[in-house]
Amino acid sequence: MTGDPGLQVRTFQDREALSRAAADLFVSLSQSTIAAQGRFAVALSGGSTPKGLYTLLGAAPYREAVPWPRVHLFWSDERCVPQDHPESNYKLAYDAFLSKVSLPSENIHRIRGEEEPGKAARVYEDDLRRFFGGGVPVFDLLLLGAGEDGHTASLFPGSPSLHETTRVALPVYLERPKRDRVTLTLPVLNRAAHVLFLASGRAKADVVSEILEGGNVQRYPAGLVQPVNGDVLWLIDREAAVKLRKPVRT
Ligand code: 6PG
């Protein structure tokens, strides 16, 4: 592994087992964090991998185990589309569990994808500052995925946004069909208390191996997530782990 003591990796037979482990972690962390500080601030990731986790959170027994009224949900990034658009990360969470749990609407801190990206980023920053106070937001749990190119949230390789040091959210204007977006910036990702990466499938084997063992972790935005006072846990399935040289904890 990268040699970073704060980084752990666990491998699971398949995406279903990975999702159950992620749901177990979400429940236990929500309960312990709320017991300790009265609230649980989470940034959700988008994409397809977390769908299994989100579906579990919207059904028994997980739905009943989370103290939802004390949970505040944010997003690591969002596509600049309306909230009911099929590509919306908000819609992904809403359909899977937000519509099924007793979460007060004021606890849902949606990125307004329907707005122009620059405005949406500024509005989101205002929301983050109102909730966390000044300074860099500190999430209790930050959920992230990794693209095959090593992007995470909407921080893409070679993007100037990777060098942002003051703003906490930025607009991302993408040339490719993958939509304009709004993303949290690295200073925020690297202040999280607990970062949970979910990666599944053979298509992620190369990037998982490069990031976790490749030695050139700086090439990949997902590899730049190294919280100053937090830990990183990668939950991967066997297919995504197939190129790892060293056995990892299952
Ligand atoms: C997004 C995500 C993005 C995602 C990766 C992995 O909005 O697309 O935030 O960073 O986590 O692209 O996506 P998959 O889970 O679909 O492989």
Side-chain angles (χ1 to χ4, degrees):
M1 296 305 146
T2 64
D4 174 358
L7 188 149
Q8 299 288 319
V9 184
R10 290 185 199 155
T11 301
F12 298 86
Q13 184 61 31
D14 52 31
R15 185 182 292 207
E16 186 186 344
L18 178 159
S19 301
R20 276 199 307 276
D24 290 336
L25 283 166
F26 188 102
V27 166
S28 58
L29 200 53
S30 70
Q31 292 173 345
S32 59
T33 304
I34 287 165
Q37 59 188 40
R39 74 177 197 199
F40 183 55
V42 187
L44 299 177
S45 73
S48 57
T49 306
K51 190 169 183 178
L53 161 62
Y54 296 163
T55 302
L56 288 170
L57 292 177
Y62 296 100
R63 178 180 52 202
E64 289 72 22
V66 176
W68 293 108
R70 298 297 186 99
V71 175
H72 282 262
L73 293 180
F74 297 78
W75 276 260
S76 308
D77 68 332
E78 182 56 281
R79 289 84 178 273
C80 292
V81 293
Q83 66 189 75
D84 60 354
H85 188 285
E87 290 182 31
S88 163
N89 289 340
Y90 168 82
K91 179 176 176 12
L92 171 72
Y94 181 83
D95 292 349
F97 74 100
L98 282 185
S99 54
K100 301 167 183 170
V101 299
S102 55
L103 191 66
S105 57
E106 62 270 20
N107 290 28
I108 299 173
H109 304 265
R110 185 176 68 86
I111 299 173
R112 298 183 190 177
E114 66 277 15
E115 303 279 358
E116 187 277 328
K119 179 180 179 185
R122 289 190 299 275
V123 170
Y124 192 44
E125 285 186 302
D126 292 344
D127 189 8
L128 287 161
R129 285 200 185 89
R130 268 194 303 276
F131 182 81
F132 288 102
V136 180
V138 179
F139 282 101
D140 301 308
L141 174 62
L142 174 66
L143 290 172
L144 291 174
E148 292 176 42
D149 60 358
H151 80 262
T152 194
S154 287
L155 298 169
F156 290 85
S159 166
S161 54
L162 287 168
H163 308 293
E164 178 60 44
T165 56
T166 52
R167 295 198 58 183
V168 296
L170 281 177
V172 178
Y173 299 94
L174 287 177
E175 299 308 317
R176 293 184 305 281
K178 267 247 179 186
R179 299 277 180 200
D180 289 343
R181 295 154 170 243
V182 172
T183 186
L184 291 177
T185 56
L186 268 180
V188 180
L189 305 191
N190 283 331
R191 285 298 305 275
H194 303 284
V195 178
L196 185 59
F197 275 99
L198 306 184
S200 164
R202 183 69 180 75
K204 298 294 175 72
D206 287 328
V207 72
V208 162
S209 164
E210 278 292 299
I211 291 172
L212 297 181
E213 293 182 337
N216 188 3
V217 71
Q218 306 293 328
R219 273 182 57 196
Y220 305 97
L224 297 175
V225 179
Q226 301 171 14
V228 289
N229 291 308
D231 52 55
V232 179
L233 173 60
W234 283 74
L235 301 187
I236 61 180
D237 63 9
R238 285 194 183 283
E239 287 191 347
V242 73
K243 291 208 169 174
L244 289 179
R245 293 188 304 276
K246 297 176 189 163
V248 289
R249 184 177 160 195
T250 55

